[in-house]
Amino acid sequence: MPASQPNTLSKRASKAGEYDVVIVGAGFAGMYMLHRLRGLGLSARVFEQGSDVGGTWYWNRYPGARCDVESMQYSYSFSDELQQEWEWSERYAPQPEILRYANHVADRFDLRSDIQFDTRVERAVFDERARDWSVTTSDGKTVRAQFVVLATGCLSNARMPDFKGLADFTGEVYHTGHWPHEPVDFTGKRVAVIGTGSSGIQSIPIIAEQASQLTVFQRTANFSVPARNAPLSAEERDFFRANYDEIRRMAREEMRNGIYQELPEKGALEETPEQRQARYGARWEKGGLTFTATYNNIALDKAANDTAADFVRDRIAEIVDDPEVAKLLQPNDHPIGSKRICVDTDYYATYNRPNVTLVDVKADPIEEILPNGLKAGGKVHAFDALVLATGFDAMTGSVAKIDIRGRGGRTLNEKWAAGPRTYLGLMSEGFPNLFIITGPGSPSVLSNMIVSIEQHVDWIADCLDYMRASGLDCMEASRAAEDSWVDHVNEVARDTLFPQANSWYMGANIPGKPRIFMPYIGGVGVYRQICNDVAAKGYEGFAMSEAAPVQRAAASS
Ligand code: NA7
C-alpha cells in the first residue's frame, strides 16, 4: 500500500489478539472470505466449530448425502486454475468428494494457518467507542476485530426434535446433520427414519439396502424428482472447462437461481396437456432441480403449478406398487417448489421393497420414543436404530446461537424476535461492521449457494477495500434502507406461491419461530445488480464514518 494511503484497517495486523476481521465459520463462505481478505493484505482469523473445513459438508455425512446442484456448477469460480484442475467424478458428487474438494481448497490456498478449529464463537460485542468488536470463543479467549463476518451457513444448525422419551432410547440415535465420522453400518438392524425432506429422501434408499427392516415416519410428503446421477464423462467435464467463463457469467447474471440451465419462455397453461406432458417428461428424464423451471410461471400461478405437481404425483403412482403407499407419498398440501424439491436416486421405488414400511405420522402423530422403538397413534413400532432426518433451524439458527450485541447492548436476537431484518441480507441496522454472508434477505438458499457466497464475499471484500482507500472505519445499514429492503423482500415473495408452504424458508418447521419468508426471491441476477448499484452509488443506504484522526495517525505510522 502506498505510504500516503490511509490505512485504517490493517492497523490490527501487528497486535496479538487483534485482527482486521474475524470470520465465523470455515465452510465455503468462510474459506473464500479469508482468501479474499488475505489478498487485500488484511489480517483475519477464522473460528470454526468443527475440527476441519467444509461447513455443511463436514457435518452432513449421512448415507447418500449429495448436493442437489451439479458439481461442475457447485464449485468455486474465483480461481480458473482450480476449476480447470479439479476432477469431479459424478454429475452430483457425493459428500465425501465435496469435503475432499473443500480440503483441497484449504491446502491449495494455504488457508489453515488462519483458521482455529474446534472453537465456537460464543459472543460478539460491539464497542461503540473503539468502533470494533470483541469476540469471545469457546476456549475462553477474547479477541478484537474491526469487522466480523458471519459465514455461519444457512443449514448448519441441526434441529433435534423434542420427542418425549428420546433420551431413554437404548439403541443408536443419529441426526443426518450431525452424522458420525466413522462409517455407520445398519446391516441386519431394524432402523427407523423420521423425516422425509431432502436428507431423509437421500438416505432412505441406502439405509433400506442395509437394514433388515426400515420404517419411515412421514409427516409431510415432499416432491422429489430423479437425480439421474451418473459418472461425468470426459466430454462433459471438457465442455464446462472450455466454456466456464460464459457458463459462470450466465449463472451469475442471467439465471434466477445461479444454475446454468435452459430457461423457459412459456407459461404452463399456454400449451396443450400433451405438450406439457412431453415437456415435463423430458425434464423428468433429464433429472434434477430444473424440473420446476419447465415453465416460467410454476412458482407464480397455482393452476400452472398444479400441472407440474400432477405430473409428479402421477409418476409416484406409476413407480410405487401399493396404491395406498403411493397415495401417502403424493404431496398434496403445498405447491410444488414452494418447499425445496428433493433430488433423489430410487426414493419412491424403495417403498416397493419388502423390508420398507411407511407410517403416516400426520394421521397418527408420534406420541413418545420408547426404549426400543416409538409409539405413534397408539401403535408401538420396534427398532434398533433411529435416524432423525428432521432438518435445521435454517438461515437464522446458527446466528441466533451467538450472543451478538450491537449498539446500546441490544442483541441481534432481540432485534430479530419478530423475524430477521437486514439490508440486502448483508448487514442489520444497529450492528455496525457486522456482515452476514448469504444472510436472510438475500437469495441464498433459493440459489446455487456457491454463486451467492462468491457474490457476497466479493462485495464485502470490495467494500472493505473501498473503506480502506477512503479512510473509513465504520459502516452500518441505515434504518430506512433496511425497512424498505425488508418490505421489498416480502412484497416479491407475496407475488409467488412460496408463502403457501410450511417450509423452513418460512421458519415454519421450528415451533415458535416467526413465520416470515426469509430468502430474497427476486433472483440472483437482479439481486447482484442491486448490490452493484448500491456500491457504485457510494454504498447507498449504508452510513459510513471516517476513522478518528488519532486512529488514522496510529494506523499509518
Ligand atoms: P427438512 O427439509 O426440513 O426436512 C425435515 C423433515 O423432518 C420433514 O419431513 C419434517 O416434516 C420432518 N420432521 C421434523 N420434525 C418432525 C417431527 N417432530 N415429527 C415428524 N416429522 C418431523 O430438512 P432436510 O435435512 O431433509 O433438508 C434440508 C435442506 O438441506 C434441503 O431442503 C436441501 O436444501 C438441503 P414436516 O415437513 O415438518 O411435516
Side-chain angles (χ1 to χ4, degrees), residues 60 62 68 155 159 161-163 175-176 194-201 217-220 222 339-342 361-362 366 389-392 445 502 504-505 508-509:
N60 283 269
Y62 59 84
D68 54 10
L155 294 163
R159 178 173 172 259
D162 49 3
F163 293 120
H175 191 293
T176 46
I194 300 178
T196 51
S198 185
S199 305
I201 282 176
F217 295 89
Q218 171 188 275
R219 192 164 63 183
T220 311
N222 262 305
K339 285 182 166 188
R340 189 167 179 117
I341 57 164
C342 304
V361 291
K362 181 151 280 159
I366 296 170
T390 46
F392 301 87
V445 291
N502 287 321
W504 54 259
Y505 297 141
N509 63 328

Side-chain angles (χ1 to χ4, degrees), residues 289-301:
L289 275 184
T290 64
F291 179 81
T292 48
T294 308
Y295 292 105
N296 62 19
N297 59 348
I298 291 176
L300 303 172
D301 178 336

Side-chain angles (χ1 to χ4, degrees), residues 42-269:
L42 298 176
S43 63
R45 187 77 174 156
V46 184
F47 294 106
E48 166 56 54
Q49 179 179 1
S51 304
D52 212 334
V53 296
T56 201
W57 301 107
Y58 173 86
W59 297 106
N60 283 269
R61 298 167 185 247
Y62 59 84
R66 286 171 203 277
C67 187
D68 54 10
V69 175
E70 297 176 27
S71 307
M72 294 303 290
Q73 301 198 56
Y74 188 83
S75 49
Y76 286 121
S77 70
F78 69 84
S79 159
D80 192 47
E81 293 80 20
L82 176 65
Q83 67 185 5
Q84 294 296 335
E85 78 197 4
W86 183 263
E87 289 273 318
W88 291 110
S89 65
E90 295 173 52
R91 182 176 178 189
Y92 302 93
Q95 171 272 336
E97 189 172 333
I98 303 176
L99 189 58
R100 271 202 304 283
Y101 173 73
N103 275 272
H104 170 74
V105 172
D107 294 335
R108 194 186 191 289
F109 298 96
D110 190 24
L111 300 177
R112 292 178 200 280
S113 56
D114 286 323
I115 306 175
Q116 185 175 324
F117 293 106
D118 300 306
T119 310
R120 271 187 55 73
V121 168
E122 298 198 321
R123 197 173 148 90
V125 179
F126 186 65
D127 180 334
E128 293 187 54
R129 198 191 52 79
R131 301 203 285 211
D132 67 6
W133 288 87
S134 100
V135 177
T136 305
T137 44
S138 51
D139 55 359
K141 299 206 171 104
T142 298
V143 299
R144 296 190 83 87
Q146 192 167 356
F147 293 89
V148 172
V149 178
L150 299 175
T152 39
C154 295
L155 294 163
S156 47
N157 191 14
R159 178 173 172 259
M160 288 301 281
D162 49 3
F163 293 120
K164 182 178 157 205
L166 181 56
D168 302 325
F169 182 67
T170 53
E172 306 149 43
V173 181
Y174 305 99
H175 191 293
T176 46
H178 253 284
W179 204 259
H181 290 204
E182 308 70 43
V184 175
D185 185 4
F186 291 117
T187 307
K189 293 191 176 141
R190 295 167 307 166
V191 182
V193 174
I194 300 178
T196 51
S198 185
S199 305
I201 282 176
Q202 287 187 332
S203 57
I204 283 164
I206 295 173
I207 296 173
E209 282 172 12
Q210 295 175 359
S212 61
Q213 172 66 38
L214 170 63
T215 312
V216 177
F217 295 89
Q218 171 188 275
R219 192 164 63 183
T220 311
N222 262 305
F223 289 98
S224 189
V225 297
R228 312 279 181 215
N229 189 34
L232 273 172
S233 65
E235 293 74 41
E236 285 167 310
R237 274 194 293 259
D238 288 348
F239 169 78
F240 273 90
R241 286 175 177 153
N243 296 289
Y244 253 141
D245 280 354
E246 181 58 3
I247 289 173
R248 302 288 202 188
R249 187 198 64 72
M250 286 179 78
R252 289 182 197 120
E253 294 172 13
E254 292 178 21
M255 306 287 155
R256 287 181 63 77
N257 58 5
I259 299 172
Y260 170 71
Q261 59 182 304
E262 244 175 85
L263 283 184
E265 283 159 14
K266 288 187 178 163
L269 306 179

